[in-house]
Amino acid sequence: MENALHPGDYWDNRSDDRKRWEIVINLFLKPVTTALLQHLHLQTPKRILDVGTGTGEPGLYIAQLYPDAQVTGTDISPRMLEIAMGKAKENGLSNFEVVCCDAADMPFDDRIFDAVVCRNGVMFFKNITAGLKEINRVLKPGGRLAVSAWGLLEHNLWINIVLDAIASVTRRKLYNQHVPGMFHCMQPGEMADWFETAEFQSVEEEVLTGIVQFNSVDDHWQYVTRVSADVVNALRDIPLPVQEIVRSEVAGRVGRHVIDGKLYFEWSLRVTSGVRA
């Protein structure tokens, strides 16, 4: 979804990198998709909305699970949606479609979706309350919304190490949790408060943790600098020679996470769900 600092063309430029790393991304986030679906309590849905689908997940996976349901994926990036539709065609999924729009202004009638999911997109909304209210509008009464967002930054060392190294080398604070970004919603209870502000009921919150593996120190660096939006943003205006210093600093810090040449980090996310009255 659209970041307050970057319009759709910013995410268009990230789309090919996300496609290149999608196997790692999907394996990384598979437990999150499972948890989101558990929170939705789907039985025989007819229409499901995936807000901020990016290159198609988890919408494509849901379309496979529920072939009798129509799954719609939205995103601010036309290029990412183009990739998503290409994958739908490759897999013969005729029940998946895409719509390019902002989460706070969707071209759908009131009360038409049985369920809405948003995997790691809500923290990029320009206005989270407006986005959640718009989702509430298009949900049928009794329909459920489930979203995921990264947990506390210090519990996600796979990226925190990099952001901290950037700040150390450049001697300036580059991360601000109070603007849209990966860890904008990391505080416990914060997303639940937004859900209640948007008039969702029976709000639940669940903390998820897991392990992410990278095949090498270089793979970890390539992933975070090409896929992780907050690192991409932090490095954007830093000269390449300084970026190489940061890279060396990160390589020195990740040593204790290396086992037999591979890197292992714990990650933490939070899933929040609620019901439309």
Side-chain angles (χ1 to χ4, degrees), residues 41-235:
H41 303 307
L42 298 174
Q43 295 181 359
T44 56
K46 294 182 179 179
R47 297 195 68 179
I48 303 169
L49 178 64
D50 178 14
V51 175
T53 194
T55 56
E57 294 297 345
L60 292 168
Y61 177 71
I62 295 172
Q64 290 178 314
L65 282 181
Y66 298 93
D68 294 328
Q70 180 66 38
V71 179
T72 302
T74 69
D75 203 276
I76 200 70
S77 166
R79 173 58 183 152
M80 285 198 180
L81 293 179
E82 180 183 336
I83 293 172
M85 280 307 301
K87 291 193 288 186
K89 292 176 181 177
E90 288 174 9
N91 291 282
L93 295 174
S94 59
N95 62 326
F96 180 82
E97 64 179 2
V98 297
V99 176
C100 189
C101 64
D102 189 280
D105 185 20
M106 297 188 288
F108 307 122
D109 294 334
D110 296 352
R111 306 182 177 190
I112 63 168
F113 291 102
D114 299 290
V116 180
V117 65
C118 180
R119 191 183 77 177
N120 291 14
V122 66
M123 57 271 205
F124 294 111
F125 289 4
K126 289 184 296 185
N127 185 316
I128 291 178
T129 298
L132 292 179
K133 285 185 174 181
E134 180 72 346
I135 291 171
N136 191 305
R137 178 186 70 79
V138 302
L139 262 175
K140 293 179 181 178
R144 299 184 67 88
L145 164 66
V147 310
S148 64
W150 291 110
L152 294 171
L153 181 56
E154 56 263 36
H155 293 168
N156 286 280
L157 286 179
W158 61 275
I159 185 171
N160 191 26
I161 283 176
V162 182
L163 290 172
D164 189 61
I166 295 171
S168 177
V169 170
T170 62
R171 300 194 178 190
R172 53 180 172 152
K173 181 180 178 181
L174 294 173
Y175 186 75
N176 184 351
Q177 71 180 72
H178 301 296
V179 299
M182 290 176 64
F183 295 91
H184 183 42
C185 308
M186 68 179 180
Q187 296 298 333
E190 192 169 38
M191 185 58 64
D193 289 344
W194 267 312
F195 265 56
E196 291 173 359
T197 300
E199 300 182 350
F200 282 94
Q201 299 182 349
S202 302
V203 178
E204 300 176 359
E205 195 168 75
E206 176 186 5
V207 175
L208 300 179
T209 59
I211 300 295
V212 59
Q213 172 193 310
F214 297 97
N215 289 328
S216 66
V217 172
D218 183 64
D219 269 4
H220 169 250
W221 174 258
Q222 293 297 329
Y223 180 87
V224 294
T225 58
R226 294 180 181 276
V227 176
S228 303
D230 285 357
V231 174
V232 174
N233 293 344
L235 291 174

